[in-house]
Amino acid sequence: MDDRRFLAAAVEQARIGRDEGGVPIGAALAVGGEVIGAGRNRRVQLGSAIRHGETDALEQAGRQPASVYARATMYTTLSPCHMCTGAILLYGIPRVVIGENRTFLGAEDLLRAHGVEVVDLDDQECAALMAGFIAEHPDLWNEDIGVD
């Protein structure tokens, strides 16, 4: 199944991010059976305020015409936050496949309200990556989601 294959690319990015000392969230933007951009949360690594997995995947994909985004699926290991949801909506990406939303429930309802198809694969590995990170680094996690 393509959804599992493309989610695996996002999971690989999450593992790389974890190994770099960052938040283990990965994403992959796929179009026409291939990944055109894969990224990971790089807030820690780059000292960035906005480099979440989804925004990094978009950055890695580079500038694309609207017709490409209109055929794309964003694969992400974790339910997208409001910022990443905004980017998905801005570029008109019609489908989002989520690894899991147990450890964090993002703006899935906002995506659906704008006609985006949202698929939650409830992937155990994605949940374990995040649960382990949150237990080990609660301060960093709270910073990432904007909680004091």
Side-chain angles (χ1 to χ4, degrees), residues 27-95:
L29 186 66
V31 179
E34 75 176 82
V35 172
I36 65 168
R40 57 193 171 275
N41 185 306
R42 295 185 200 222
R43 291 187 71 245
V44 172
Q45 299 92 314
L46 299 177
S48 171
I50 62 169
R51 264 324 208 354
H52 284 191
E54 298 89 339
T55 57
D56 193 48
L58 286 165
E59 181 69 16
Q60 298 305 315
R63 292 175 57 192
Q64 300 292 329
S67 61
V68 171
Y69 296 121
R71 297 182 292 112
T73 298
M74 178 65 77
Y75 292 85
T76 179
T77 59
L78 186 64
S79 183
C81 71
H82 280 81
M83 179 178 68
C84 294
T85 291
I88 290 163
L89 295 175
L90 175 67
Y91 290 107
I93 297 168
R95 186 167 186 264

Side-chain angles (χ1 to χ4, degrees), residues 3 7 73-77 95-99 117 119-121:
D3 283 347
L7 181 64
T73 298
M74 178 65 77
Y75 292 85
T76 179
T77 59
R95 186 167 186 264
V96 176
V97 176
I98 298 166
E117 178 187 358
V119 177
D120 177 11
L121 295 181

